[in-house]
Amino acid sequence: MKLPFFASACATLFGVLTGVLPSAAGAVPPTPAMDLSVELAHPQILAGRKMTTYLKVGLTGQELEASAKRAPVNVTIVIDKSGSMGGDKMVHAREAAKQALDRLGAGDMVSVVAYDDAVSLISPATDLTDRDRVKAAIDRIQAGGSTALFSGISKGAEELRRNKRPNQVNRVVLLSDGMANVGPSSPQDLGRLGASLAKEGITVTTLGLGLGYNEDLMTELALRSDGNHAFIENSQNLAGIFQTEFGDILSVVAQRIRVRVQCAEGVRPVRVLGREADIHGQDVELEMNQIYARQHKYLLLEVEIPEGVADTDAPVATAEVISVNALTGIENRSLTRSVARRVNDPALIANTVNKAVLVEVARAISTEKEALAVKLSDEGRHEEATKAYNAACSWSLSEAKRLASPELEKLGLSQQERLQMFNAGGASANAARKMSKSEDLYNRTQNTLSSKPEVKK
C-alpha cells in the first residue's frame, strides 16, 4: 500500500489491516516528490512466541510529466583519454557525449574534463548558450597516456562547485576503460572520495567500458555517492547508455533523503539487507542522495518481534523520512507507524503473507550469496566459490518457485550463466565478475541504468 507524504489519517483503519499506520495528518504539500510505503512481510504473526519478519520502507519518485518543470542540472562529463581509449572507443565516447548534450536545456550547466596521466579541462562550466563550441571541444579529445582517474573525478567535482546553486542536481559522469594507475587508486580511496562528494550533494555515475576497467573502483565510487554504474562491453552501446544516464539526471525529483526507523519497545532490529545503514539500539538510519521519477528505492530490515497474546496488536516500528523537493527546495517530512496483528491461526498467517516483500528479501539474500562467491574466487578458493555460486543459483530458483516469482527465476538463470562464465575462466570470467558487481550494486542501492521517462528540456 502506498501512502503519499503527509497522508490523511483516514488511512488508519486500512493500516490496521495491512500492517501500516500513518501518523497524524499534517500540511499537504502541493506537489509531493515521493510516495512512501511501509510493509511487513508478515502482517499477521503467531501469538505466544517470538517472531522474525521483515519490514520494508519503500520510496517511489512521483511521475514527472513531460510538460512539468524539472530541477536544473549541473553536470560534468569526465572522459578517460588514456592510450587504451584509442580508436573506436574514443570515437563512440565523443559522439555519445555530444548527443547527451542535446538533452540539456535552458538553465542547465555542463563542463567537460578529460584525463590520462594528467587532467585537462576540455570545456569549463557553461550554460550551453554556445552548444556547438562545447561539442567542438569534445571532438578535439585524443587518446594517449596513463590513467589518473582520481584526479579526473576531483577536477570534475571542482567544476561542479563553481556553479552549485540551491535546488539543482549535481552529477559527475565518468567514462573509463582502464585501471587507475596514477595517484590514489584503491577502492577505499575512491570510496572515500565518493562519500565526500555525496555529503556535498554530488553524485558520481561510473561507466566501465570493455573488460579492462577495475569494477571494484568504479562500483565503490558509485555506491558511496549513490550513483549509477554500467558495465558496457561494446563501445557502440555508449550512446544509448549516455542517453539513459542523462534521462536519470533530468528526472531527479527529491534529494538529501534521510530515513530513520525507530523500532518499538521490545522489537529488535536484527540487520539491514543489502544497504549499508547505522543501527544504534532501537534506531536504524540511512541516507540516499536522490531519487528519480518512478524509481523505487527501499530499506529492508529484519526484525524480531516479542511474543504476545492472540488478538492483540504488536507495534513494530515508526519510519520517518525527510527529503528535499529537487525543484522547489521545500523539505518534506513523513512519519508512519507499522503494526502487526497476533493470531493463533497459522493458516491465516500463511494467507496474509506479503509475497512482494519476500521476493525483495530473497533477491537481497541471493545477491549476498553471489557476492560471497566472487570474494572466495578473488581469494583463490575456487572450489568454495563454485559451491557458493551454486548456492546462490539454487536459492534464487527455489524461492522463485515458492513465491511464484518470474523476477527471481530470471535472477537464478542469470546467475547460472555467470557461474558457467566463471568456470570458463579468462575473458568470460572477467565479464562475469563485472556483471556480478553490477548486480550487487543494484541490490545495495536500487540504482541501475534502465529506461526512464522522457523529460522536457
Side-chain angles (χ1 to χ4, degrees):
M1 180 186 72
K2 292 183 177 179
L3 297 173
F5 272 91
F6 301 95
S8 167
C10 67
T12 300
L13 178 59
F14 185 66
V16 171
L17 300 176
T18 61
V20 179
L21 284 174
S23 61
V28 179
T31 53
M34 294 188 299
D35 288 335
L36 168 66
S37 62
V38 180
E39 304 170 273
L40 286 170
H42 301 90
Q44 313 273 1
I45 59 175
L46 192 62
R49 57 178 293 184
K50 287 183 180 180
M51 290 291 296
T52 297
T53 188
Y54 297 91
L55 175 74
K56 177 184 176 182
V57 179
L59 303 173
T60 305
Q62 288 279 350
E63 182 77 36
L64 192 60
E65 300 295 337
S67 60
K69 289 184 65 177
R70 60 165 175 82
V73 305
N74 179 24
V75 60
T76 299
I77 301 173
V78 179
I79 298 176
D80 176 355
K81 68 181 186 77
S82 59
S84 59
M85 280 289 293
D88 286 346
K89 288 182 181 179
M90 184 55 71
V91 170
H92 289 303
R94 290 193 296 251
E95 287 304 311
K98 290 188 296 181
Q99 291 175 26
L101 295 184
D102 292 331
R103 298 290 298 272
L104 303 179
D108 296 326
M109 302 292 295
V110 67
S111 52
V112 182
V113 169
Y115 67 90
D116 44 27
D117 49 309
V119 178
S120 303
L121 180 58
I122 303 301
S123 178
T126 177
D127 61 2
L128 283 180
T129 52
D130 190 356
R131 198 182 303 260
D132 289 339
R133 181 190 62 79
V134 180
K135 290 184 176 181
I138 292 173
D139 274 333
R140 290 193 291 272
I141 300 175
Q142 298 296 324
S146 300
T147 309
L149 190 151
F150 189 99
S151 296
I153 290 292
S154 298
K155 182 63 176 177
E158 180 183 318
E159 283 300 302
L160 287 185
R161 294 186 190 102
R162 295 183 190 277
N163 293 280
K164 277 189 70 179
R165 309 185 195 108
N167 312 333
Q168 185 183 52
V169 177
N170 300 290
R171 181 73 61 98
V172 175
V173 180
L174 167 69
L175 170 65
S176 178
D177 77 331
M179 304 282 184
N181 52 26
V182 176
S185 57
S186 72
Q188 293 76 21
D189 291 332
L190 274 295
R192 282 190 291 268
L193 177 60
S196 176
L197 294 176
K199 291 178 181 177
E200 299 182 54
I202 296 173
T203 297
V204 183
T205 283
T206 59
L207 308 178
L209 177 59
L211 296 176
Y213 78 93
N214 186 326
E215 59 269 26
D216 293 332
L217 298 185
M218 301 282 265
T219 55
E220 190 71 10
L221 183 55
L223 170 67
R224 301 302 170 187
S225 65
D226 200 19
N228 293 328
H229 171 72
F231 163 39
I232 308 163
E233 291 191 74
N234 192 318
S235 63
Q236 293 179 350
N237 297 327
L238 274 173
I241 292 293
F242 262 80
Q243 289 294 314
T244 303
E245 167 62 15
F246 272 68
D248 277 358
I249 298 171
L250 298 175
S251 67
V252 173
V253 294
Q255 300 187 98
R256 302 198 295 278
I257 302 162
R258 288 169 286 163
V259 180
R260 181 189 178 202
V261 178
Q262 186 173 32
C263 291
E265 183 177 356
V267 175
R268 183 171 71 92
V270 178
R271 64 169 180 148
V272 174
L273 276 68
R275 285 188 176 275
E276 293 188 7
D278 295 322
I279 299 180
H280 302 289
Q282 298 295 99
D283 294 347
V284 180
E285 297 180 347
L286 64 83
E287 296 182 355
M288 306 175 189
N289 222 354
Q290 77 278 300
I291 193 167
Y292 312 122
R294 299 196 303 186
Q295 185 184 24
H296 184 61
K297 290 189 172 187
Y298 53 82
L299 162 71
L300 287 175
L301 176 63
E302 183 179 349
V303 293
E304 184 182 83
I305 303 173
E307 64 181 75
V309 299
D311 301 321
T312 61
D313 288 335
V316 177
T318 299
E320 180 183 39
V321 180
I322 301 171
S323 65
V324 175
N325 186 296
L327 177 62
T328 66
I330 295 174
E331 184 178 273
N332 293 315
R333 183 184 300 260
S334 176
L335 194 69
T336 303
R337 295 187 299 276
S338 176
V339 176
R341 184 73 176 174
R342 296 186 178 97
V343 297
N344 282 323
D345 185 359
L348 180 59
I349 295 171
N351 290 335
T352 57
V353 162
N354 188 326
K355 288 188 176 181
V357 174
L358 288 180
V359 166
E360 301 289 6
V361 169
R363 182 186 184 96
I365 292 174
S366 181
T367 306
E368 287 179 351
K369 291 177 182 291
E370 184 174 355
L372 173 61
V374 172
K375 180 176 180 293
L376 292 170
S377 177
D378 291 345
E379 295 171 353
R381 300 157 64 181
H382 301 300
E383 185 175 339
E384 293 174 77
T386 299
K387 289 180 180 178
Y389 231 127
N390 276 317
C393 300
S394 298
W395 171 265
S396 297
L397 294 175
S398 64
E399 288 295 280
K401 183 176 181 180
R402 183 174 75 90
L403 299 171
S405 169
E407 177 188 349
L408 289 178
E409 182 179 19
K410 181 179 178 181
L411 174 61
L413 294 175
S414 67
Q415 287 172 326
Q416 286 183 337
E417 291 177 6
R418 290 195 288 273
L419 173 57
Q420 292 173 356
M421 294 170 69
F422 259 112
N423 290 334
S428 292
N430 186 356
R433 190 181 191 282
K434 287 173 167 58
M435 294 174 187
S436 293
K437 295 292 286 190
S438 297
E439 182 68 37
D440 182 54
L441 181 66
Y442 171 77
N443 177 52
R444 298 168 74 177
T445 65
Q446 290 84 58
N447 290 333
T448 182
L449 283 172
S450 58
S451 298
K452 294 293 189 299
E454 292 290 322
V455 181
K456 183 182 179 181
K457 290 183 179 179

